[in-house]
Amino acid sequence: MDLRELYQEVILDHGKNPRNHRLLEPYNREGRGYNPLCGDRITLRLQLDGDRITDIGFQGQGCAISQASCSTMTEAIKGKTLREAEALFEQFHALVTGEGEADFDELDKLAVFAGVSEFPMRVKCATLGWHTLKHAVEGDGIEAVTE
Ligand code: ZN
């Protein structure tokens, strides 16, 4: 099995069995995201304690990439501070757009989305959860639309 197949397997696994897939209760931040190009929708809820994300959950419908990306995102940022989560999004964005240099050590499991940079249409699927996270944290009630 080469790295690409391994990456694909992880994405399919998270797409089929998403982690933290629940409407979190209690929570103090909520965001909704929609990707009209693909039809992906998510609702993301988090529990913020100061600037630390102590718990997170999401529900959604859509393609395997969007759901797997949300799933891996929730695993990656649970327990992290907002600043750490933002830094991780910058790395992830560099990875999936192919713009800038991504730090694979820091990305850890999120590196499985490296192949997305070859499919520009899929970038919006992969970043939907992260954009939704931003709006949820800001508490602005704006739906994250990837267009
Ligand atoms: Zn999608």
Side-chain angles (χ1 to χ4, degrees):
M1 186 187 286
D2 66 15
L3 199 57
R4 188 176 285 250
E5 282 176 290
L6 176 70
Y7 281 0
Q8 206 156 27
E9 198 151 296
V10 173
I11 291 171
L12 285 176
D13 174 46
H14 275 267
K16 259 190 225 162
N17 308 297
R19 318 301 197 266
N20 302 306
H21 195 248
R22 65 204 166 98
L23 280 178
L24 194 67
E25 286 286 355
Y27 68 99
N28 53 22
R29 292 290 189 284
E30 184 182 71
R32 289 168 195 277
Y34 177 48
N35 172 15
L37 277 179
C38 185
D40 310 314
R41 277 185 189 282
I42 65 155
T43 298
L44 184 72
R45 284 182 178 177
L46 39 150
Q47 185 69 31
L48 266 190
D49 186 1
D51 69 345
R52 194 170 291 279
I53 300 162
T54 54
D55 208 356
I56 184 164
F58 80 101
Q59 274 201 334
Q61 290 175 320
C63 69
I65 299 266
S66 68
Q67 304 303 302
S69 176
C70 283
S71 173
T72 50
M73 177 188 79
T74 59
E75 280 198 320
I77 66 176
K78 197 168 171 176
K80 289 210 158 57
T81 65
L82 293 177
R83 190 183 290 259
E84 288 166 339
E86 200 175 312
L88 208 50
F89 181 30
E90 278 173 27
Q91 292 294 327
F92 185 74
H93 196 266
L95 178 82
V96 297
T97 58
E99 293 161 14
E101 220 159 293
D103 182 337
F104 278 66
D105 284 340
E106 201 180 322
L107 282 164
D108 193 26
K109 253 195 183 175
L110 298 173
V112 298
F113 292 94
V116 170
S117 64
E118 290 166 41
F119 305 95
M121 291 273 295
R122 291 301 192 176
V123 172
K124 293 178 193 300
C125 303
T127 55
L128 179 64
W130 292 91
H131 286 299
T132 305
L133 173 68
K134 271 198 163 179
H135 285 291
V137 166
E138 281 159 22
D140 55 17
I142 297 171
E143 184 180 58
V145 178
T146 58
E147 256 189 328

